[in-house]
Amino acid sequence: MVQGDGKGVGVVQQVRQGYTLDQARTRLLAALNPLPGRDDCPLPQARGRVLAAPLVAPRAVPGFRASSMDGYALRTVDGRPGEPLPVVGCSAAGAPYGCPLQPGQAVRIFTGAVVPDGADAVAPQEDVQLVQGETSGPMVTLETSVRSGQWIRSPQEEAAAGEQLGGVGQRLSSVDVARALACGLCTAQVYSRPRVTLLITGSELRPAGDPLPPGTICDSNGPLLLSLLERLGLTVADQQWVGDDPQRLETALLTLAGCSDVLISTGGVSVGDEDHVRPLLERLGTLQFWRLFLKPGRPFATGTMAGARFFGLPGNPVSAAVTFLQLVWPALQVLEGAAPEPWPRLQVRLATPLRRRPGRPELVRARLTTDHRGKPLATPCGDQSSARLASLHGADLLLEIDASATELPAGTAVMAQLLRLPVL
Ligand code: AMP
Ligand code: MG
């Protein structure tokens, strides 16, 4: 469970160092279950929601044999090149030719239109000659032979009747939504979204735009977490800013925890005299664990308070962002009924040397480029101070660097997490 040989040594090390990221994630996620709420969500608004019941196609789609070309529907037995066939009608998308095709006939047809019964092939219009007979109507002559079934979509090409389009725990993509709507479904039963509240702590903090007396700084954690949550489709039900005052912190913590499923705080969770959040969590709720063996993000605490899951993120903005992405986000996914999807990992090579102080495993912020053969390269985003938001600016990757690493020359292969959300 923890680094170290003997059990006792391991526990002592854990207390001193904190959990590795993997240990912390495993412990945290094992303690969580999906929230009980369910919503019937109109499908057009369901992208990003997590299915609480399977989505099942009520019928086959498209439900009829459809042409996938503009051309002529005919029987292959009649389709001998050079022999004209009378064109007896037209089947357009949404306006079928209502009768079965008789032997020796052809029907003008367009993409998406019903292929008349009796026809078993569509000859594309590029492969035929159309002539207007003097006494008869239009006649079509094939230039090449046709194959049975050509340019005809099967009635269940998109989905068979009863086919499962999505399973419980699946987060719906734009494509999933479009496909379910294409199959005639209107709503999806999804898990309710967790109600999230934010508590930004620190006596030095002011909202951007307010006057800044000496020693104060603008809050960046609040806006950053709000927008990260928004990217994940979550809105914040309530947010408060409180200085390092235990009494006011206690009131704010209990108020926010009492009206949310998840309360996220930043700041005040380290070991300084003004760091009141962890002791308050221990007193007002239950501390599950505190401290990570990780850089950035050592002072991280989680537990429960007034029925809410509590996350105490560090105050340093990069530490807050990284611990949010590594621990809070997967936890939010579990609470919302989804299997937590880890960030995709890939092997990259350092484009420039990396020098660092050994001690803790590090997630180094880096940009992704490619070399002349298209192989992935990582360029660290400068000074990796956890106070420096600029180290996250333009970062596509978090490089997973071992605790003991000191000097890594350019070209070193390292594993990296790819911080990208799917477009679809
Ligand atoms: P703390 O975790 O409270 O010890 O804060 C660590 C560092 O992060 C200090 O330099 C704080 O000023 C800074 N910090 C804390 N909260 C925020 C915030 N919301 N926005 C920007 N910086 C912060
Ligand atoms: Mg502080």
Side-chain angles (χ1 to χ4, degrees):
M1 178 181 85
V2 285
Q3 299 193 342
D5 347 323
K7 243 187 179 167
V9 177
V11 170
V12 171
Q13 274 193 354
Q14 189 279 309
V15 170
R16 204 161 44 86
Q17 296 181 326
Y19 286 120
T20 65
L21 199 48
D22 279 347
Q23 290 165 345
R25 202 185 282 117
T26 306
R27 292 204 123 211
L28 170 63
L29 299 187
L32 300 176
N33 287 307
L35 296 168
R38 305 280 186 278
D39 301 322
D40 277 321
C41 182
L43 269 165
Q45 282 95 57
R47 190 197 60 79
R49 301 298 298 267
V50 178
L51 286 175
L55 275 182
V56 177
R59 54 184 172 75
V61 176
F64 53 87
R65 296 183 311 146
S67 177
S68 54
M69 276 289 192
D70 293 332
Y72 295 85
L74 44 82
R75 297 163 181 269
T76 41
V77 288
D78 299 333
R80 285 176 293 276
E83 289 190 16
L85 298 171
V87 181
V88 296
C90 176
S91 184
Y97 174 71
C99 322
L101 194 77
Q102 301 302 323
Q105 294 180 335
V107 157
R108 180 73 169 124
I109 196 162
F110 300 105
T111 304
V114 175
V115 176
D117 288 346
D120 69 338
V122 170
Q125 65 188 43
E126 296 84 341
D127 297 346
V128 304
Q129 291 287 339
L130 185 67
V131 285
Q132 194 65 40
E134 273 172 22
T135 49
S136 61
M139 308 283 286
V140 67
T141 308
L142 301 186
E143 290 181 339
T144 56
S145 57
V146 288
R147 184 177 39 79
S148 179
Q150 75 171 34
W151 306 117
I152 296 178
R153 296 168 55 198
S154 116
Q156 50 185 36
E157 183 185 75
E158 187 58 55
E163 184 175 329
Q164 183 165 309
L165 305 172
V168 172
Q170 180 177 329
R171 196 176 286 283
L172 292 171
S173 69
S174 308
V175 175
D176 297 331
V177 166
R179 191 163 173 243
L181 286 161
C183 290
L185 294 171
C186 298
T187 58
Q189 196 189 101
V190 295
Y191 286 99
S192 301
R193 290 199 136 139
R195 292 165 305 158
V196 182
T197 53
L198 279 185
L199 175 61
I200 306 301
T201 79
S203 299
E204 73 280 31
L205 302 171
R206 297 290 179 276
D210 274 17
L212 287 179
T216 58
I217 58 170
C218 294
D219 163 37
S220 59
N221 288 344
L224 183 63
L225 291 174
L226 269 179
S227 65
L228 283 173
L229 286 161
E230 196 182 304
R231 283 296 299 274
L232 307 177
L234 295 169
T235 47
V236 167
D238 198 1
Q239 182 178 3
Q240 292 192 25
W241 289 261
V242 176
D244 300 308
D245 169 340
Q247 198 53 55
R248 293 185 51 223
L249 281 168
E250 176 171 342
T251 309
L253 283 166
L254 288 175
T255 307
L256 292 173
C259 67
S260 53
D261 302 305
V262 176
L263 165 57
I264 306 171
S265 74
T266 76
V269 78
S270 192
V271 291
D273 291 347
E274 294 298 340
D275 291 331
H276 306 295
V277 172
R278 182 176 50 96
L280 280 169
L281 171 61
E282 282 174 311
R283 187 155 65 74
L284 305 173
T286 312
L287 173 72
Q288 188 191 10
F289 61 85
W290 174 65
R291 268 202 156 180
L292 301 175
F293 186 45
L294 176 69
K295 187 173 180 297
R298 189 190 338 224
F300 169 94
T302 186
T304 54
M305 192 188 293
R309 170 52 56 169
F310 174 79
F311 296 103
L313 308 189
N316 269 315
V318 179
S319 308
V322 166
T323 50
F324 177 87
L325 295 174
Q326 299 297 312
L327 294 168
V328 183
W329 189 18
L332 288 167
Q333 292 187 54
V334 172
L335 292 172
E336 203 187 343
E341 277 178 48
W343 295 101
R345 292 170 81 238
L346 70 162
Q347 194 187 63
V348 295
R349 288 185 185 278
L350 291 177
T352 54
L354 181 67
R355 279 182 206 89
R356 64 185 290 278
R357 208 162 355 119
R360 276 179 282 160
E362 187 166 1
L363 291 174
V364 168
R365 287 74 75 199
R367 278 183 208 121
L368 175 65
T369 54
T370 49
D371 67 12
H372 63 282
R373 287 171 304 162
K375 297 260 165 56
L377 285 179
T379 308
C381 305
D383 177 358
Q384 295 286 314
S385 157
S386 58
R388 186 173 169 267
L389 263 183
S391 72
L392 271 172
H393 173 71
D396 314 290
L397 301 172
L398 293 176
L399 310 181
E400 300 174 346
I401 307 297
D402 286 346
S404 58
T406 47
E407 294 243 355
L408 300 176
T412 305
V414 294
M415 289 306 291
Q417 300 177 21
L418 182 62
L419 299 179
R420 290 282 167 94
L421 289 173
V423 175
L424 285 174

